[in-house]
Amino acid sequence: MRFTHVLSTALLAVGLAAAPAAADPSPSASPSGDGGAPTQAGTSFRTATGIEPGQRATANGSTGDYLYWSFAADAGVRPTVRATVKLPATHAAQTWQVDVYDGLRRRQACQYGAQTRTADAGSASVDLACTLRTVRAWSEPWADDPLPGTYYVRLTVVGLQPSDLGQPVGAEVRVDSKDVGGAAAVDGSLAEPLVPGIAVTSRQHQEGSSESAVLSAVEPDGGWSSGWWSDRWVWTALGGALAALAGVGGYALTRGSGRPSRVPPGA
């Protein structure tokens, strides 16, 4: 009975310690509303318009244009890009595609989602979606895994009739990031996230100063974690505590009463 009471108290203490971290994992950036959402898109990687997770960015363009947006994704999140193209009233069949590139401008494969769709003649709009693999804190140099940094969204038409080229269209893009947590945690991390750098051209830098390059201002709320913390640490500690308690309990149950099993002759 005494051991059961001690075990229950210890489990309760460990549960209370782990509950805040388990119930409140590092959240992705919360939607900031559409009030300050961008209303235009870039035309290249260098001019991509930055958007926050949860924002609904809009832009006007023409069929044949390349529209670019950028967003930040940290380790442990799974980004999902959704795009809607509003088509003109009269048009032939058109095929639209949304692509996502990482900070090294490597095209990332979609884990699931309709990345390419064909709109029938006269359709009012077409919806696209691309869910990436979970961003890893570290990866082998030869691998193509998503890594923390800036990601680029490119929206364009890949198949249309020449008569539809240049017609006005409207685009809506939204990026949502799901926090996967410790299930995707790996050992190791990048020295710096994969974000575009701006060379320092000051006189001090030209004279050999050690001043570092300025990184892009696009980053998650709270800065880059680079995978140093995840709820895997909580469950590892919980497992270790349970193993220790199980060892103590097993010893208490098997050691006996501490008295000899029988009285020696002549005692």
Side-chain angles (χ1 to χ4, degrees), residues 158-247:
V158 294
L160 79 164
Q161 298 296 327
S163 58
D164 288 337
L165 186 63
Q167 289 195 20
V169 294
E172 295 181 2
V173 171
R174 178 186 175 97
V175 178
D176 295 304
S177 295
K178 179 181 179 181
D179 193 340
V180 178
V186 296
D187 295 329
S189 61
L190 298 180
E192 294 288 349
L194 302 178
V195 298
I198 303 175
V200 178
T201 57
S202 63
R203 182 181 299 273
Q204 293 181 353
H205 181 72
Q206 293 175 358
E207 293 175 355
S209 173
S210 59
E211 184 178 0
S212 60
V214 179
L215 297 179
S216 171
V218 178
E219 65 178 32
D221 290 344
W224 298 96
S225 67
S226 295
W228 74 272
W229 165 259
S230 72
D231 56 5
R232 184 178 65 169
W233 293 99
V234 176
W235 298 112
T236 300
L238 180 60
L242 292 177
L245 290 173

Side-chain angles (χ1 to χ4, degrees), residues 13-197:
V14 174
L16 291 176
D24 187 19
S26 301
S28 59
S30 58
S32 58
D34 296 337
T39 57
Q40 60 182 1
T43 57
S44 67
F45 287 102
R46 295 177 60 88
T47 61
T49 300
I51 58 177
E52 298 289 341
Q55 278 187 330
R56 185 180 62 89
T58 59
N60 294 321
S62 303
T63 51
D65 292 342
Y66 286 89
L67 304 179
Y68 288 83
W69 294 267
S70 64
F71 65 94
D74 205 355
V77 302
R78 182 182 300 155
T80 297
V81 178
R82 294 182 175 86
T84 299
V85 182
K86 297 180 179 179
L87 304 174
T90 303
H91 64 85
Q94 299 181 4
T95 302
W96 286 80
Q97 180 171 303
V98 59
D99 297 305
V100 183
Y101 298 83
D102 64 7
L104 298 178
R105 299 187 184 181
R106 302 176 302 180
R107 184 176 178 271
Q108 291 295 320
C110 299
Q111 190 175 24
Y112 52 85
Q115 181 182 8
T116 303
R117 271 188 172 175
T118 299
D120 296 331
S123 300
S125 63
V126 59
D127 296 325
L128 307 169
C130 175
T131 298
L132 301 180
R133 295 168 293 169
T134 303
V135 178
R136 297 165 57 90
W138 180 86
S139 178
E140 294 288 349
W142 47 262
D144 194 29
D145 298 320
L147 295 171
T150 302
Y151 283 75
Y152 300 92
V153 179
R154 185 179 73 180
L155 178 64
T156 187
V157 62
V158 294
L160 79 164
Q161 298 296 327
S163 58
D164 288 337
L165 186 63
Q167 289 195 20
V169 294
E172 295 181 2
V173 171
R174 178 186 175 97
V175 178
D176 295 304
S177 295
K178 179 181 179 181
D179 193 340
V180 178
V186 296
D187 295 329
S189 61
L190 298 180
E192 294 288 349
L194 302 178
V195 298

